[in-house]
């Protein structure tokens, strides 16, 4: 499977798959296959069908520049647009990025963490202090070895704010926290940070919000150790759901297909 994974294009598959692109490509492959059939090119048609379907599956599309034309083509077609944008198996409303939602703003949280000796300034940059960073990575390494259901149990035991946990898998792995989905790598990172902060922070809401802010210091996925990639919320067809706002930059694990951090928009 490693060979297949290296062919995979995470920007256009999984949750980033653009359904207009997929549909237009599938139609073009079918047309090409039929054309070859009509010309009695059986083997060629078989090859085109196989390679075409595999490429659409692995890379999102096979015809070059599809993202530039397919969405407009589909938008101009009589097919209802909702067919592609709202028909997601997973309701994005049920997803959230953090273990706990607090109403503290980022600046307050970071200054509290700085006062507690958790973060320090290094020139323009903010960094975790060395002891905190070491303890956090050690705890993440431990939590990443837990099965998904053990991780869910651990989350419920650790956090008073959580009353019910479950697990959910749809290609990506999620812990269901009081009915909402939180990605496995996010749970590992935040739960580890929450534990480390026990020693440094007394205020529960600062501890929860602080644990969430630790995710911006990640450079690799806490579950699979893949280097994180910067991306943006826009899918390839520009199927962006918040039209009056510019898309946020996000940190993602391409292997787990999970978002690890959303940089606050300016
Ligand atoms: Zn990962």
């Amino acid at each position: 499977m490693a060979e297949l994974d290296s062919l995979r294009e995470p920007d256009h598959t999984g949750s980033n798959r653009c359904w207009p692109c997929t549909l237009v490509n599938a139609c073009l492959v079918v047309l090409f296959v039929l054309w070859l059939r009509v010309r009695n090119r059986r083997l060629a048609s078989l090859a085109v069908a196989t390679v075409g379907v595999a490429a659409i599956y692995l890379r999102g599309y096979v015809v070059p520049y599809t993202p530039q034309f397919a969405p407009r083509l589909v938008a101009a077609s009589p097919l209802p647009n909702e067919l592609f944008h709202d028909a997601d198996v997973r309701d994005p409303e049920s997803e959230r990025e953090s273990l706990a939602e607090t109403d503290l703003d980022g600046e307050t949280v970071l200054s509290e963490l700085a006062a507690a000796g958790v973060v320090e300034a290094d020139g323009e940059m903010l960094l975790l202090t060395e002891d905190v960073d070491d303890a956090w990575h050690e705890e993440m390494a431990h939590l990443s070895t837990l099965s998904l259901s053990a991780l869910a149990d651990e989350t419920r035991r650790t956090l008073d704010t959580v009353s019910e946990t479950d697990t959910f898998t749809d290609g990506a792995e999620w812990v269901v926290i009081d009915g909402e989905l939180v990605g496995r790598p996010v749970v590992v990172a935040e739960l580890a940070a929450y534990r480390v902060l026990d020693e440094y922070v007394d205020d529960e809401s600062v501890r929860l919000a602080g644990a969430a802010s630790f995710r911006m210091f990640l450079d690799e996925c806490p579950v699979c150790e893949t280097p994180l990639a910067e991306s943006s919320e826009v899918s390839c067809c520009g199927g962006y759901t918040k039209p009056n706002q510019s898309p946020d930059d996000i940190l993602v694990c391409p292997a787990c297909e999970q978002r690890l951090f959303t940089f606050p928009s300016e």
Side-chain angles (χ1 to χ4, degrees):
M1 282 308 274
E3 291 83 1
L4 272 189
D5 280 341
S6 68
L7 287 173
R8 208 178 278 279
E9 172 54 86
D11 279 353
H12 299 303
T13 55
S15 58
N16 288 334
R17 178 176 293 280
C18 172
W19 289 105
C21 296
T22 303
L23 179 84
V24 168
N25 271 265
C27 291
L28 290 172
V29 168
V30 168
L31 282 178
F32 192 38
V33 168
L34 288 177
W35 181 77
L36 289 169
R37 286 256 162 161
V38 168
R39 296 174 53 115
N40 260 331
R41 308 265 307 269
R42 280 190 61 95
L43 278 180
S45 74
L46 207 62
V48 167
T50 311
V51 172
V53 170
I56 294 171
Y57 174 72
L58 286 170
R59 309 196 54 88
Y61 57 89
V62 59
V63 180
Y65 304 108
T66 297
Q68 273 86 331
F69 68 82
R72 265 172 285 158
L73 204 62
V74 170
S77 79
L79 292 166
N81 206 33
E82 301 82 63
L83 210 60
F84 305 102
H85 289 305
D86 295 331
D88 232 351
V89 191
R90 197 170 66 232
D91 177 8
E93 290 289 309
S94 69
E95 257 181 74
R96 69 178 198 209
E97 195 181 304
S98 177
L99 284 179
E101 250 116 63
T102 66
D103 40 21
L104 292 175
D105 67 285
E107 220 165 302
T108 309
V109 173
L110 285 176
S111 64
E112 291 276 351
L113 292 183
V118 174
V119 296
E120 61 190 359
D122 178 25
E124 298 264 279
M125 299 254 294
L126 268 182
L127 295 174
L128 294 172
T129 53
E130 208 180 312
D131 288 351
V132 170
D133 197 47
D134 289 349
W136 181 42
H137 278 87
E138 206 173 296
E139 189 61 33
M140 284 194 291
H142 161 66
L143 290 174
S144 69
T145 62
L146 298 181
S147 70
L148 191 58
S149 61
L151 182 65
D153 291 343
E154 198 75 11
T155 307
R156 196 185 52 244
R157 272 199 295 271
T158 310
L159 296 175
D160 290 339
T161 49
V162 172
S163 50
E164 222 183 288
T165 54
D166 200 353
T167 61
F168 181 71
T169 311
D170 63 353
E173 295 183 303
W174 309 85
V175 174
V176 185
I177 294 181
D178 296 327
E180 293 184 298
L181 303 178
V182 183
R184 182 182 191 172
V186 169
V187 176
V188 168
E190 275 192 34
L191 200 58
Y194 180 82
R195 288 189 167 163
V196 170
L197 286 178
D198 182 32
E199 244 185 81
Y200 297 85
V201 178
D202 293 326
D203 186 296
E204 182 68 11
S205 56
V206 173
R207 193 174 160 197
L208 285 168
S213 74
F214 269 43
R215 284 184 281 110
M216 74 178 149
F217 300 111
L218 286 169
D219 46 21
E220 58 181 35
C221 174
V223 170
C224 69
E225 295 176 358
T226 302
L228 299 184
E230 280 190 41
S231 184
S232 99
E233 270 190 313
V234 182
S235 70
C236 78
C237 65
Y240 187 62
T241 47
K242 294 176 250 171
N244 299 324
Q245 212 183 315
S246 59
D248 289 329
D249 287 326
I250 56 180
L251 267 184
V252 295
C253 171
C256 295
E257 295 193 355
Q258 290 279 14
R259 170 197 303 221
L260 268 299
F261 191 75
T262 306
F263 295 98
S265 38
E266 297 294 309

